[in-house]
Amino acid sequence: EAQVTQNPRYLITVTGKKLTVTCSQNMNHEYMSWYRQDPGLGLRQIYYSMNVEVTDKGDVPEGYKVSRKEKRNFPLILESPSPNQTSLYFCASSYGRTGKNGYTFGSGTRLTVV
Amino acid sequence: DAKTTQPPSMDCAEGRAANLPCNHSTISGNEYVYWYRQIHSQGPQYIIHGLKNNETNEMASLIITEDRKSSTLILPHATLRDTAVYYCIVRVAGSGSEKLVFGKGMKLTVNP
């Protein structure tokens, strides 16, 4: 089944403890992206990647890192999480550069930083 | 990308057609209209997109006005599982950032 898989689904962590949220897609998509969703603020893009080894900042990149060493994987790294990074995170992928195709989203990762 | 305007909420009876409106009066010629929905806190789900012609797929139909300043998403036979927040998004095809700008969307409630 074509899908975007995020892990973990739920995570509670403490301030400052490095964590990684994994994202993997099995559709050979070139484009991958991370979003966070917060009440009243909607979905905001954190980082995106147009291909292997090509990443760029979205609207809210502070406090996050990403890497794209393989086409299928796009992990989101929080080097020193803080409570304001408590949020619902979504990974998404899309095929092709035309922009004509829709994004496929993962099921989400609910992160709580205490 | 052009901005879109949607009503904040809408109710629909189960089994009836749900017509979800969207205004995008500043849309430019190379911008597509996309519809996504988000059921509770699940990941957004792509529904349909179009440029200027009406489109239909297994989920819905998209009607775009001739001047392209507004569109309507039609769910022909709404079910309880169609209750969700629906997002209308316009974006340029091939724009480098591949970013989707989600507004507040419209909450559709399908009632039994």
Side-chain angles (χ1 to χ4, degrees):
Chain A
E1 180 189 352
Q3 59 186 357
V4 175
T5 303
Q6 292 179 231
N7 280 297
R9 290 293 307 278
Y10 302 92
L11 178 60
I12 301 175
T13 190
V14 296
T15 298
K17 185 176 180 181
K18 181 180 178 179
L19 66 92
T20 300
V21 182
T22 64
C23 174
S24 181
Q25 50 92 5
N26 62 0
M27 297 166 281
N28 202 34
H29 283 172
E30 294 177 345
Y31 294 89
M32 299 187 74
S33 183
W34 276 102
Y35 290 81
R36 62 177 287 175
Q37 186 171 31
D38 303 289
L41 297 175
L43 282 140
R44 295 176 292 169
Q45 190 185 55
I46 303 171
Y47 267 95
Y48 65 95
S49 169
M50 290 194 282
N51 215 323
V52 175
E53 302 293 1
V54 180
T55 63
D56 211 341
K57 297 177 181 178
D59 294 323
V60 288
E62 294 77 20
Y64 305 94
K65 287 175 58 177
V66 292
S67 69
R68 189 90 183 273
K69 294 188 173 66
E70 308 164 279
K71 199 171 189 178
R72 64 185 292 124
N73 296 322
F74 190 45
L76 180 69
I77 303 156
L78 285 72
E79 295 270 3
S80 183
S82 63
N84 65 11
Q85 293 178 297
T86 292
S87 188
L88 180 58
Y89 291 86
F90 292 104
C91 180
S93 72
S94 174
Y95 175 76
R97 195 179 171 145
T98 64
K100 294 182 182 180
N101 303 292
Y103 268 86
T104 301
F105 282 80
S107 300
T109 295
R110 189 170 290 280
L111 173 65
T112 302
V113 184
V114 298
Chain B
D1 293 335
K3 289 189 65 173
T4 63
T5 305
Q6 301 175 254
S9 63
M10 177 181 289
D11 281 18
C12 176
E14 188 178 19
R16 304 295 292 269
N19 297 309
L20 287 65
C22 179
N23 286 321
H24 30 78
S25 58
T26 60
I27 193 170
S28 58
N30 59 348
E31 287 185 310
Y32 284 73
V33 180
Y34 284 78
W35 283 84
Y36 283 78
R37 72 181 182 184
Q38 188 175 24
I39 298 171
H40 193 44
S41 293
Q42 298 177 21
Q45 177 187 25
Y46 164 79
I47 301 173
I48 198 167
H49 73 278
L51 184 62
K52 52 185 176 182
N53 298 320
N54 298 337
E55 302 287 346
T56 295
N57 63 20
E58 64 278 2
M59 288 183 68
S61 295
L62 175 61
I63 308 297
I64 303 174
T65 58
E66 193 167 341
D67 63 8
R68 302 209 324 121
K69 293 185 177 182
S70 66
S71 60
T72 301
L73 179 75
I74 301 173
L75 307 178
H77 306 287
T79 70
L80 299 179
R81 287 179 294 181
D82 291 322
T83 292
V85 177
Y86 286 77
Y87 298 95
C88 171
I89 300 165
V90 297
R91 62 187 293 266
V92 177
S95 53
S97 74
E98 297 297 320
K99 177 172 66 177
L100 294 174
V101 179
F102 288 84
K104 295 189 186 307
M106 188 201 79
K107 177 67 184 296
L108 173 69
T109 302
V110 181
N111 300 304

